[in-house]
Each structure stands twice: as structure tokens, then as C-alpha cells.
Amino acid sequence: MGSIRAAIDRAAYMISSRMKQRKEEGHAKKTDRISVLPDRVIYHILLLLPTIDVFKMISLFKNWRRVWASFPLVLDFHHKFAYGTERHNQLKLIKFVEYVFLILMPRKHIARLSTFRLNLDYFDDDACIHTWLSFVAESNVEELDLAVSYYRLPQTILHARSLRVLKLAMLRLEVKFGSIMLPSLKTLSMNMVMLDDKTIYKLISSCPALEDLDINWCCGLSNLQVSNPNLKSLQVQHRCPLPIQIEAMNLESFAYKGNYDQCKIRFVACQALRSLSLSETVFAEQWLRDQISRLPQLKNLKARSWGIPEKLYH
């Protein structure tokens, strides 16, 4: 009897163990479904997440980290990415950016960046940002969105051959020596950037593929000259009287917004212009007629001189 009882106990133990094992395996399969998603699905999910959440996910799932590292990276750092005071958010953001680059630096020769965005109200460690941007430029970045108050853009970015979209805000741009080489740049946006006439002229004329250009509330300009044969869209907003000369044979759309000051725009070789908008500025009706006579393809005109009814120009 004793041997029979022992055999029954062993069988019961084995059955119990097998059931427990199967239960654990089933539970593991259910809880691990997120890590076995197809690579493309994981990548698209990561693209939709804020950068801080991306790093939470890749720290939890090794497979997600492998996918994240194998596709072009999107890094988006904004000082309002967390709750709290502005200063608290900014200090937290800086620490997070430093942590991210600490992970990326060892991979600098294989990392690929599609987009890099950095928005800081103020950061006095220019050398630190220079290091980040050097890595970004070496990683063949295609889109750069940079807003750092009073920061001087390094020459490294002005030689980023892979760059297709460049958005700058609140920083300083100087080109005293050397050249600018942005052969792939198609979109350039500058908001509240500090730069002079020579710098902006050199920048615009050194981008052979440039199609869209926005110049909004920039400081330091006294005579704006826009010359680029491939430019298609131009927008200018300025707070004080600014003479503007535009030479762009393929320009199709131009919008100007002043500060209720005298309009001083001159079109040179802009025969392809189809849409023209002039707002919050002052000009004589005869001046407008003279400009229109130089624009044979013009189809859409919205212009109003301060103090004169808008219907005169439709």
C-alpha cells in the first residue's frame, strides 16, 4: 500500500507541476504580446510617442530598444514637456537631454537621426549644446528645429549636407568666415533670429534646393535681399520699415506683414508670382499698380494700405 500511495503522490505532483507550468507559460504569452509586435508597428508607435515616453518603453522592452536603434531616430525636446514651473521643467529637460546623449554617444558612428527638436528658454552652456549639435550633424539629420534664446548657431549646422528642413528661433546667426553648404535644404524658417544683411543673403543664396522661406520678426536687418532661383514660397514679417528686394524667377507666393509702416518692396525677375498678400503696411495705389505690372502671372492679390479701403485692390 505504501508504494502505491507514494506513486499516486508522485503522479499528482507531476500533474500539478505541469499545470502550473502551462499556466505560467500562458500568462507569459499574454503579457508579452507587446514585445512581439512587428518591427514596423513598434517603430510607428514610437514615432507617435513623446521622446520621454519613448525612453520609458525602450527601457522596459529590449526588443523595442533594438527597433528604436535600427531606424532613423526622432528626438523632440521641449521645455514644457512636464508639469511644474518653467524653471523646473527646463532643468528637468536638460538632465533628460544629457541622459539621452550619454546613451547615444557610444553609437555616434552608426546612429541615424531624421528629426531633432530642442526648445530652451535660456541655457548658458553653449559648449554642451555644441556637442549635441555636432552629434546631430554627424548623424545625417534631415530636420532640425532649434529654439534657444541668445544661443549662437555653430558652423557645423551650416555644413549639414543631409539637412532638408531648418527651423531657427530666438538665437543668433553669424557667418564671419567660411562658407555655407546646405545642398539639400528645402525649407528654412527663422523666427526672432538675430542676424545681419550679409549673413541672411549668404544663407539664402547658398541653398540651391531652397523652396520655402519664412523670415519672421528677425532683428538686425536693414536691407533684405532675397535671391534664389528655385524659391517658390516666401513670407516676411517685420516690425520696422525694411527695404526688400526679391529676385526669384520661380517664386509663386509672397506674403508680407508689416507694422503699419511704409512698404518698401521691389520685385526683380519674379514673373512666376501667382499669389501676393500685403497686410498691415502703407503704400500708394500707384506703387501697387507699378508692382503688378511686373508680375504677369499674378492671379491672387490681397493688399490693403493702412487707411485706404481694401476693396480698391481687389
Side-chain angles (χ1 to χ4, degrees):
M1 284 293 290
S3 60
I4 296 175
R5 183 65 183 177
I8 292 173
D9 289 343
R10 283 197 300 271
Y13 174 77
M14 291 176 65
I15 293 171
S16 177
S17 298
R18 181 61 62 86
M19 290 177 66
K20 184 179 180 181
Q21 182 180 356
R22 287 182 177 179
K23 184 177 180 181
E24 289 176 350
E25 288 175 352
H27 180 69
K29 287 179 180 178
K30 288 180 181 178
T31 57
D32 199 38
R33 285 179 181 176
I34 192 171
S35 65
V36 295
L37 290 170
D39 288 359
R40 283 283 177 185
V41 174
I42 294 174
Y43 178 63
H44 283 294
I45 292 174
L46 291 174
L47 286 178
L48 296 173
L49 293 175
T51 299
I52 191 169
D53 292 330
V54 168
F55 274 80
K56 290 178 182 177
M57 295 299 291
I58 66 175
S59 65
L60 291 174
F61 303 102
K62 291 183 179 179
N63 189 45
W64 285 51
R65 184 166 187 168
R66 177 189 61 77
V67 172
W68 173 80
S70 62
F71 285 90
L73 307 179
V74 175
L75 299 178
D76 191 347
F77 304 108
H78 194 284
H79 72 288
K80 295 180 179 178
F81 79 107
Y83 293 104
T85 64
E86 290 291 322
R87 179 170 176 78
H88 169 78
N89 284 345
Q90 179 145 307
L91 291 175
K92 189 175 180 180
L93 174 61
I94 292 169
K95 289 182 179 180
F96 177 58
V97 177
E98 290 173 342
Y99 164 73
V100 171
F101 277 95
L102 190 64
I103 293 175
L104 291 177
M105 283 301 180
R107 302 176 57 253
K108 66 184 300 181
H109 298 297
I110 59 173
R112 292 179 297 156
L113 266 177
S114 66
T115 303
F116 181 79
R117 299 187 185 97
L118 178 64
N119 187 318
L120 292 172
D121 285 340
Y122 179 71
F123 186 42
D124 58 2
D125 191 348
D126 284 5
C128 189
I129 304 180
H130 282 358
T131 302
W132 298 342
L133 291 182
S134 293
F135 176 89
V136 167
E138 292 173 8
S139 301
N140 296 319
V141 66
E142 294 185 0
E143 180 176 346
L144 175 62
D145 189 338
L146 189 63
V148 183
S149 298
Y150 307 111
Y151 172 68
R152 183 174 60 82
L153 191 73
Q155 284 288 122
T156 309
I157 298 302
L158 299 178
H159 288 84
R161 289 178 168 271
S162 59
L163 204 57
R164 297 172 63 86
V165 178
L166 178 59
K167 298 178 181 180
L168 306 173
M170 301 183 295
L171 46 73
R172 293 181 294 133
L173 183 56
E174 299 175 5
V175 186
K176 293 183 179 180
F177 304 102
S179 60
I180 299 174
M181 195 170 295
L182 298 169
S184 303
L185 193 68
K186 288 184 174 293
T187 300
L188 173 60
S189 175
M190 294 180 286
N191 290 283
M192 295 183 286
V193 173
M194 291 166 278
L195 74 171
D196 59 25
D197 297 334
K198 291 183 179 180
T199 297
I200 196 169
Y201 178 79
K202 192 171 186 178
L203 176 60
I204 295 171
S205 58
S206 299
C207 303
L210 188 64
E211 294 182 355
D212 301 301
L213 174 61
D214 287 354
I215 305 169
N216 301 314
W217 317 122
C218 291
C219 305
L221 299 176
S222 59
N223 190 354
L224 176 61
Q225 295 186 54
V226 177
S227 179
N228 189 298
N230 291 314
L231 192 65
K232 293 183 178 180
S233 175
L234 173 62
Q235 175 179 294
V236 178
Q237 298 185 74
H238 207 64
R239 288 193 174 92
C240 56
L242 178 67
I244 303 174
Q245 179 172 300
I246 305 170
E247 185 175 356
M249 59 186 297
N250 288 304
L251 186 67
E252 297 177 358
S253 174
F254 173 62
Y256 175 80
K257 183 177 181 179
N259 193 29
Y260 306 106
D261 46 32
Q262 186 69 38
C263 186
K264 299 180 179 181
I265 301 171
R266 182 167 178 260
F267 296 99
V268 179
C270 296
Q271 287 85 355
L273 191 68
R274 292 174 173 271
S275 177
L276 173 62
S277 175
L278 303 172
S279 62
E280 298 184 17
T281 185
V282 178
F283 53 82
E285 185 175 354
Q286 185 57 49
W287 172 88
L288 182 61
R289 294 184 185 279
D290 290 342
Q291 301 305 312
I292 292 175
S293 67
R294 300 191 182 101
L295 308 172
Q297 301 298 321
L298 189 65
K299 293 185 177 180
N300 182 18
L301 172 63
K302 183 179 180 181
R304 179 175 181 176
S305 180
W306 184 245
I308 300 178
E310 186 173 8
K311 64 182 181 180
L312 291 176
Y313 305 108
H314 276 279

